């Protein structure tokens, strides 16, 4: 048997908030979720926030001695003793950081004997002769029962030692993360247009490849290779997210290839969008925001700052001429809310018209 899924779920943002509280009150957390949902990434991000060090231990690959330590005969004492486990933090190493995160991944994929050793570690903060340093925070993760992964039932006393959460995929959270991490704009644009394509995991499907937050990140990395030919690209994308998603995404990429360069829009060289394919406008606004952010990082708050406002003004003019109201709202809202770009009205001749047209909609969408 395996763990029964909870009915209450949390988004990545909600889970991060809960993890921060758990850190402060020193309570271990167990995270359940489908493959590729980002469980380990969330723990890693919270660890980084605290300037900590992450020990990522895959319990599904462990033996009990990996936690307890390897037994050996001490000829001096005449007793069996345990060599300390190398994969767990020592007092000396832990002292170098404000805190250490011990992440027990694949918790419910571990054999019962390994879970038993983990139980001692979580319950007593020690196993065998090994003792966890005081600044170590314990977190764990595993798949849900209906994911059809290799799982064992976690003992109820062990589950009761954790704060238990089930993570769900949330597009808004992923979108914010994707922009912050400069995921390829074609991936961002395609998924913004077709939000349901972010995740199509089906435990009953026989397909080895399926779309998840993780596999779309793989696609973003693949798209960064400028030397790959179209046929190979199709095979690679299919291997990450499945053939159905790959066919639709590659059609999107084909249309996106006809888009003007964002730098030409910022410079005012291009004022007209010839393609009217609605899906690719989502890619274009991502490219424009990336370009505006890059330019602001280079010239912002310097003597060349006015150049950025000229570029921003060109973008507003282009958007009003070529984008639907919905896309205009998304463009400016993302620029201001996600990238914190300073659209100063008195320095932008197009701002008044833009605001009169969509300003109230932007304010409503962020309130």
């Amino acid at each position: 048997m395996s763990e029964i899924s909870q009915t209450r779920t949390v988004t990545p943002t909600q889970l991060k908030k809960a993890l921060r509280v758990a850190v402060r009150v020193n309570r271990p957390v167990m995270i359940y979720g489908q493959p590729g949902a980002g469980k380990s990434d969330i723990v890693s991000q919270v660890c980084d926030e605290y300037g900590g060090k992450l020990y990522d231990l895959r319990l599904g690959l462990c033996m009990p001695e990996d936690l307890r330590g390897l037994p050996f005969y001490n000829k001096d004492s005449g007793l069996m003793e345990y060599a300390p486990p190398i994969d767990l933090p020592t007092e000396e190493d832990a002292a170098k950081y404000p805190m250490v995160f011990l992440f027990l991944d694949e918790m419910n994929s571990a054999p019962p004997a390994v879970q038993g050793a983990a139980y001692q570690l979580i319950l007593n903060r020690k196993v065998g002769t090994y003792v966890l340093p005081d600044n170590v925070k314990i977190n764990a993760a595993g798949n849900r029962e209906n994911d059809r992964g290799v799982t064992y039932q976690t003992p109820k006393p062990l589950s009761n030692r954790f704060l238990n959460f089930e993570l769900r995929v949330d597009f808004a959270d992923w979108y914010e993360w994707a922009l912050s991490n400069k995921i390829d704009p074609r991936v961002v644009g395609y998924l913004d247009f077709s939000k349901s394509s972010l995740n199509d995991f089906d435990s009953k499907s026989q397909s080895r490849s399926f779309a998840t937050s993780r596999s779309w990140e793989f696609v973003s990395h693949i798209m960064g290779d400028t030397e790959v030919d179209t046929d190979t690209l199709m095979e690679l994308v299919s291997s990450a997210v499945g053939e159905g998603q790959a066919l639709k995404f590659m059609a999107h990429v084909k249309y996106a290839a006809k888009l003007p360069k964002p730098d030409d829009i910022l410079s005012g060289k291009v004022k007209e969008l010839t393609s009217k394919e609605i899906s690719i406008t989502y890619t274009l606004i991502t490219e424009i925001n990336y370009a505006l952010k890059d330019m602001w990082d280079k010239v912002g708050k310097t003597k060349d700052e006015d150049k950025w406002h000229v570029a921003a003004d060109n973008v507003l003019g282009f958007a009003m001429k070529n984008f639907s109201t919905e896309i205009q709202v998304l463009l400016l809202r993302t620029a201001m809310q996600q990238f914190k770009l300073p659209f100063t009205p008195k320095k932008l001749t197009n701002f008044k018209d833009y605001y009169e047209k969509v300003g109230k909609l932007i304010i409503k969408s962020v309130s």
Side-chain angles (χ1 to χ4, degrees), residues 49 91 97 124-125 157 201 251 254 291 326:
E49 288 178 12
E91 287 283 359
Y97 303 91
N124 302 316
R125 294 186 63 85
F201 173 70
K254 183 178 179 180
E326 177 189 357

Side-chain angles (χ1 to χ4, degrees), residues 272-281 321-323:
E272 191 83 29
L273 182 60
T274 56
S275 175
K276 301 303 180 182
E277 175 64 35
I278 183 64
S279 67
I280 61 173
T281 58
K321 186 174 182 179
N322 296 283
F323 291 158

Side-chain angles (χ1 to χ4, degrees), residues 281-293:
T281 58
Y282 289 85
T283 289
L284 184 56
I285 64 169
T286 302
E287 291 180 333
I288 288 172
N289 272 311
Y290 281 170
L292 282 173
K293 179 64 166 63

Side-chain angles (χ1 to χ4, degrees), residues 320-353:
M320 286 190 291
K321 186 174 182 179
N322 296 283
F323 291 158
S324 67
T325 299
E326 177 189 357
I327 300 300
Q328 290 181 53
V329 171
L330 182 60
L331 170 67
L332 195 58
R333 183 187 67 198
T334 302
M336 298 176 70
Q337 188 174 28
Q338 179 67 31
F339 292 114
K340 313 298 182 187
L341 295 177
F343 287 82
T344 307
K346 64 181 181 180
K347 295 184 178 181
L348 301 166
T349 58
N350 286 314
F351 190 88
K352 182 179 179 182
D353 290 341

Side-chain angles (χ1 to χ4, degrees), residues 266-322:
L266 268 63
S267 68
K269 181 179 178 181
V270 172
K271 300 181 183 295
E272 191 83 29
L273 182 60
T274 56
S275 175
K276 301 303 180 182
E277 175 64 35
I278 183 64
S279 67
I280 61 173
T281 58
Y282 289 85
T283 289
L284 184 56
I285 64 169
T286 302
E287 291 180 333
I288 288 172
N289 272 311
Y290 281 170
L292 282 173
K293 179 64 166 63
D294 287 344
M295 187 176 182
W296 176 255
D297 288 343
K298 291 177 182 177
V299 305
K301 297 182 180 180
T302 69
K303 62 181 181 180
D304 294 325
E305 181 178 341
D306 287 344
K307 293 181 180 178
W308 184 87
H309 288 95
V310 170
D313 206 36
N314 289 333
V315 166
L316 296 182
F318 179 89
M320 286 190 291
K321 186 174 182 179
N322 296 283

Side-chain angles (χ1 to χ4, degrees), residues 148-177:
R148 293 194 175 186
V150 178
T151 58
Y152 297 87
Q153 184 174 14
T154 303
K156 291 298 181 183
L158 179 54
S159 291
N160 195 238
R161 299 302 300 178
F162 287 107
L163 303 175
N164 296 282
F165 295 92
E166 183 170 322
L167 179 66
R168 71 175 183 268
V169 177
D170 181 80
F171 179 80
D173 272 12
W174 178 86
Y175 184 72
E176 181 178 341
W177 171 87

